[in-house]
């Protein structure tokens, strides 16, 4: 089956034949695109095609040009790709040619917004230009706006549905996708800003706003609306500077009341032969290397006592 992609960069694919010649002929490509995507779907009258593609030719020459274009398409794509109904109508055989524009609208009509938005890779016939036909250019401009608006509405609906499920990250993602589709649509921008603010990604919100404002200034020489600017200022006011701390700074530290002085603790030292034990810490001092005569005299039942200042961080020394 032939696969015609018109949303975004144009492509025509067929596993069994070389279809590149169609892509190299703007008039043939434009005629195929129109027959595959024009509304209402179905057959198009030859008279309408003549006015659209050969407005500067008289009736006889225009009809001859149309016959040549159709012959060229059939030669490359197959005799049944472009079909006629009677003498005055032309169309495409949709069982032989798949077109993303038709599929996009079928998904939307079936309430499958996610699949439709996945198909929308960009505006209709992005980057395409055909000289000598202002009527076709006008039709193309109208269809670009129509399809982009449908894609934008579908994407915003997906964002709202995600928000209703409390999936705010997904809702923000769909809102950002809506900005990509509606490059100058402030509704999509404000929704993205509010959602990014809600999930705490305020730095991302600032970047989205600045990119949008730059695009408006460069492309349209305008600034965002007061409503959008006010929302951005509210978000900016909540952006907190990041504070960096070492791991040691995060450890709990003992606190003393302002009027409280660290208390002195008396620790009992237990003297054993050759070893001095300090409290319950297990710390010891080995006196075994000293002469037994140097050890202090001890009496049965008597232990040694000393007072140690533990005010430094309340640690045993």
């Amino acid at each position: 089956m032939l696969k015609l992609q018109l949303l975004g960069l144009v492509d025509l694919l067929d596993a069994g034949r070389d279809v590149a010649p169609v892509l190299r002929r703007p008039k043939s490509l434009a005629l195929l695109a129109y027959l595959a995507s024009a509304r209402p779907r179905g057959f198009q009258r030859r008279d309408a095609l003549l006015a659209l593609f050969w407005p500067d030719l008289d009736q006889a020459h225009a009809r001859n040009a149309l016959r040549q274009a159709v012959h060229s398409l059939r030669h490359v794509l197959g005799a049944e790709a472009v079909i006629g109904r009677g003498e005055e109508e032309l169309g495409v055989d949709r069982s032989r040619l798949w077109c993303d524009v038709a599929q996009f609208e079928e998904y939307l009509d079936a309430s499958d917004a996610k699949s439709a938005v996945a198909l929308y890779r960009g505006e209709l016939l992005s980057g395409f230009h055909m000289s000598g036909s202002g009527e076709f250019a006008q039709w193309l401009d109208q269809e670009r706006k129509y399809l982009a608006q449908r894609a934008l509405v579908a994407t915003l609906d997906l964002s709202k549905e995600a928000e209703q499920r409390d999936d705010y990250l997904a809702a923000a993602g769909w809102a950002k996708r809506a900005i990509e589709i509606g490059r100058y649509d402030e509704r999509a921008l404000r929704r993205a800003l509010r959602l990014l603010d809600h999930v705490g990604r305020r730095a991302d919100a600032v970047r989205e706003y600045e990119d949008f404002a730059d695009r408006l200034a460069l492309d349209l020489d305008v600034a965002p609306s007061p409503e959008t600017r006010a929302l951005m200022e509210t978000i900016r006011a909540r952006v907190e500077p990041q504070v960096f701390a070492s791991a040691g700074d995060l450890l709990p530290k003992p606190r003393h009341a302002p009027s409280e002085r660290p208390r002195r603790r008396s620790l009992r030292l237990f003297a054993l032969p050759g070893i001095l034990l300090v409290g319950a810490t297990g710390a010891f001092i080995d006196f075994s290397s000293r002469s037994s005569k140097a050890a202090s005299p001890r009496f049965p039942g008597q232990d040694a006592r000393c007072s140690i200042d533990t005010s430094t961080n309340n640690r045993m020394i």
Side-chain angles (χ1 to χ4, degrees):
M1 174 180 282
L2 291 161
K3 186 176 182 181
L4 179 61
Q5 296 178 344
L6 302 176
L7 296 172
L9 295 178
V10 180
D11 203 0
L12 180 62
L13 305 171
D14 183 34
R17 68 184 75 229
D18 178 18
V19 295
V22 175
L23 298 175
R24 292 195 293 265
R25 300 170 185 155
K27 191 81 73 173
S28 296
L29 177 59
L31 177 60
L32 181 65
Y34 185 85
L35 293 175
S37 65
R39 294 176 292 120
R41 304 280 187 264
F43 290 92
Q44 308 297 326
R45 289 194 57 81
R46 288 178 181 264
D47 290 344
L49 297 175
L50 299 181
L52 197 63
F53 291 96
W54 296 276
D56 298 333
L57 298 181
D58 58 49
Q59 187 79 357
H61 286 88
R63 281 185 172 272
N64 184 58
L66 177 58
R67 281 194 298 269
Q68 290 180 2
V70 171
H71 175 76
S72 175
L73 288 174
R74 287 172 173 168
H75 176 71
V76 175
L77 306 179
E80 301 301 323
V82 178
I83 56 178
R85 187 169 66 179
E87 296 295 326
E88 295 300 324
E89 292 181 316
L90 289 172
V92 294
D93 184 350
R94 298 192 182 277
S95 68
R96 296 174 179 271
L97 186 143
W98 177 92
C99 178
D100 58 354
V101 174
Q103 185 66 70
F104 167 78
E105 294 210 85
E106 287 177 14
Y107 280 140
L108 290 179
D109 294 341
S111 300
D112 189 354
K114 187 175 292 187
S115 296
V117 173
L119 267 184
Y120 191 86
R121 300 175 299 117
E123 67 177 8
L124 178 65
L125 288 169
S126 178
F128 178 81
H129 174 72
M130 184 181 68
S131 60
S133 181
E135 288 77 3
F136 178 81
Q138 184 178 359
W139 170 84
L140 180 57
D141 184 60
Q142 292 174 349
E143 290 300 300
R144 282 173 174 169
K145 292 177 180 177
Y146 167 78
L147 294 171
Q149 182 62 25
R150 293 205 70 180
L152 176 63
V153 170
T155 310
L156 290 175
D157 286 345
L158 289 169
S159 177
K160 294 173 185 176
E161 291 171 7
E163 185 180 8
Q164 290 171 357
R165 299 192 305 268
D166 294 333
D167 190 351
Y168 296 103
L169 285 176
W174 286 118
K176 292 175 67 175
R177 178 71 178 101
I179 296 175
E180 295 174 359
I181 296 171
R183 292 170 51 80
Y184 310 116
D185 192 283
E186 292 196 40
R187 296 172 304 161
L189 174 65
R190 288 193 294 270
R191 165 164 277 276
L193 295 182
R194 282 193 291 264
L195 288 166
L196 290 171
D197 179 36
H198 182 79
V199 298
R201 292 170 54 180
R202 298 185 180 96
D204 289 345
V206 172
R207 282 193 293 271
E208 287 291 340
Y209 174 82
E210 291 177 346
D211 289 346
F212 188 92
D214 289 345
R215 187 159 58 248
L216 284 185
L218 292 173
D219 297 351
L220 305 178
D221 196 24
V222 296
S225 67
E227 180 182 358
T228 303
R229 294 200 304 270
L231 174 61
M232 189 67 255
E233 289 307 313
T234 301
I235 294 173
R236 284 184 191 274
R238 285 199 289 270
V239 176
E240 298 177 357
Q242 295 182 357
V243 178
F244 298 93
S246 67
D249 293 334
L250 302 178
L251 297 175
K253 296 181 180 180
R255 297 181 179 179
H256 304 290
S259 60
E260 180 183 358
R261 296 182 60 188
R263 293 178 298 175
R264 297 172 62 87
R265 296 182 181 179
S266 295
L267 302 181
R268 176 168 296 184
L269 306 183
F270 299 91
L272 297 178
I275 300 175
L276 179 63
L277 296 179
V278 183
T281 65
F284 67 90
I285 303 173
D286 187 357
F287 290 98
S288 60
S289 62
R290 298 182 182 181
S291 169
S292 60
K293 296 181 180 180
S296 299
R298 296 182 298 278
F299 302 94
Q302 181 179 5
D303 54 19
R305 296 175 183 269
C306 71
S307 180
I308 299 177
D309 187 355
T310 61
S311 62
T312 304
N313 289 332
N314 294 333
R315 293 197 300 268
M316 291 186 179
I317 300 176

